[in-house]
Amino acid sequence: MAFEKVKEIIKESPAFTQLTDLAAERLGGKVLYATDDFFAEKENLIAPTRGIFITDKYTDRGKWMDGWESRRKRTPGHDWAVIQLATSGKITGFDIDTNFFLGNHPPHASIEAVNLESTEGITDWDNVAWKEILPKSHLDAGSQNFYECASDEIFTHLRLHIYPDGGVARFRVYGEVFKNWDAVSTSESIDLAAAINGGQAIACNDMFFSAMSNLIMPNRGANMGDGWETKRNRTPNNRDWVILKLAHQGLVDRIVVDTCHFKGNYPDSCSIEACHSATDNLENADWQMLLPQQKLNADFIHEFENKINKGQVITHVRLNIFPDGGVSRLRIFGKIVR
């Protein structure tokens, strides 16, 4: 199935879109260069959410568009942009999203990749040892164009080519974070759940208002939408939950539960369970209490150390909230166990 376009199903995306977006701006991705971004800035490519459209919004260069858009090309060649991933990783799939680009989308795109230790001194991106990981492929207008990646190599930078010109709203690069754990000391305390280290949100019972993956993003939440929020539940004694896969097995010594921006809708309380599993199939997992049920406050950073049941080597955690509501960030600090 290498390079075969993944069929879009209504209200359903390919499984790889549940992986980490390695290029995401909020994770630390950057757009380093574009041959042309006359109509719309290259940085929009990796912004959060899908692109929007504002009917009557114009700039002094033309129609305002929420994406990267080059001018109409009147010379030979095509346009391209260089993206630095937030962290090195193995890529599973792409979403080249032309949302709202209808009469001005590129009909084709291709992608190259490279693994660079540093970009210092690079002035000519054409002389980099790029490797093609998606051949020239068709793009539909106003659509999420999903493609799988057949390479299992580790990359740090991508070059998105569009043929010959036009606009792309967003560029998503889904895959798995690569971190050299041999370089991490077993005495160093790190956030074992952080997406930038390779942590993943793998399951939850509800994310009606906002996605579970927000819990493990860097920094504090930008707003109430930048967290994990469930719908109001009227069932007595309800419990909502989310499961995180840690980046590396380890011993937990500190937990942070941040309800930033959640004021009239924060959970009354929470607890955290943990288990050790060689797989993500946790149907028969032996969950143990890591943090007994704790009262929560609105818009507040809760730090727990003494109340943690320490000493368990764990791979997964389950955050339970009672009865429902929103949590901005969850940090699971600890030391890796090799």
Side-chain angles (χ1 to χ4, degrees), residues 134-180:
L134 179 71
K136 190 174 181 179
S137 303
H138 173 77
L139 297 182
D140 289 325
S143 302
Q144 289 178 277
N145 296 272
F146 296 111
Y147 284 96
E148 292 185 340
C149 177
S151 175
D152 60 359
E153 296 182 48
I154 304 300
F155 296 114
T156 59
H157 294 74
L158 301 185
R159 181 158 68 161
L160 171 65
H161 297 265
I162 58 173
Y163 302 92
D165 53 41
V168 174
R170 297 291 187 268
F171 181 47
R172 307 298 186 204
V173 182
Y174 295 104
E176 299 174 10
V177 171
F178 172 78
K179 188 175 181 70
N180 181 9

Side-chain angles (χ1 to χ4, degrees), residues 7-27:
K7 292 182 180 178
E8 292 183 62
I9 302 174
I10 296 174
K11 296 184 179 179
E12 187 174 339
S13 298
F16 63 67
T17 60
Q18 300 305 309
L19 299 175
T20 302
D21 179 5
L22 301 173
E25 176 187 57
R26 61 179 181 158
L27 196 62

Side-chain angles (χ1 to χ4, degrees), residues 209-222:
F209 289 110
S210 49
M212 60 183 177
S213 58
N214 292 332
L215 280 172
I216 55 176
M217 288 294 118
N219 309 313
R220 297 193 76 194

Side-chain angles (χ1 to χ4, degrees), residues 9 12 14 29 62 98 101 116 126 219 222 230 234 245 252 275 281:
I9 302 174
E12 187 174 339
T98 56
F101 286 92
L116 297 172
D126 276 323
N219 309 313
T230 66
R234 317 301 188 185
K245 178 182 181 179
V252 178
C275 72
N281 183 357

Side-chain angles (χ1 to χ4, degrees), residues 174-298:
Y174 295 104
E176 299 174 10
V177 171
F178 172 78
K179 188 175 181 70
N180 181 9
W181 291 105
D182 291 336
V184 178
S185 169
T186 54
S187 62
E188 177 186 353
S189 184
I190 68 169
D191 185 355
L192 296 170
I196 195 68
N197 289 327
Q200 297 177 42
I202 61 173
C204 68
N205 74 312
D206 186 299
M207 51 178 177
F208 186 87
F209 289 110
S210 49
M212 60 183 177
S213 58
N214 292 332
L215 280 172
I216 55 176
M217 288 294 118
N219 309 313
R220 297 193 76 194
N223 50 50
M224 198 173 70
D226 187 15
W228 169 56
E229 185 182 2
T230 66
K231 60 178 169 286
R232 300 190 188 209
N233 195 300
R234 317 301 188 185
T235 307
N237 303 313
N238 183 67
R239 169 186 69 105
D240 288 330
W241 54 267
V242 60
I243 295 175
L244 306 181
K245 178 182 181 179
L246 302 185
H248 195 288
Q249 68 175 5
L251 293 164
V252 178
D253 50 42
R254 183 165 63 96
I255 294 173
V256 176
V257 180
D258 188 357
T259 56
C260 184
H261 301 296
F262 290 98
K263 299 175 181 178
N265 52 350
Y266 67 97
D268 175 75
S269 59
C270 77
S271 68
I272 299 177
E273 299 166 285
C275 72
H276 189 282
S277 174
T279 74
D280 293 338
N281 183 357
L282 305 175
E283 185 176 349
N284 298 312
D286 182 20
W287 292 102
Q288 301 291 322
M289 190 59 66
L290 181 65
L291 178 70
Q293 193 165 344
Q294 305 291 323
K295 198 77 171 171
L296 296 178
N297 297 307

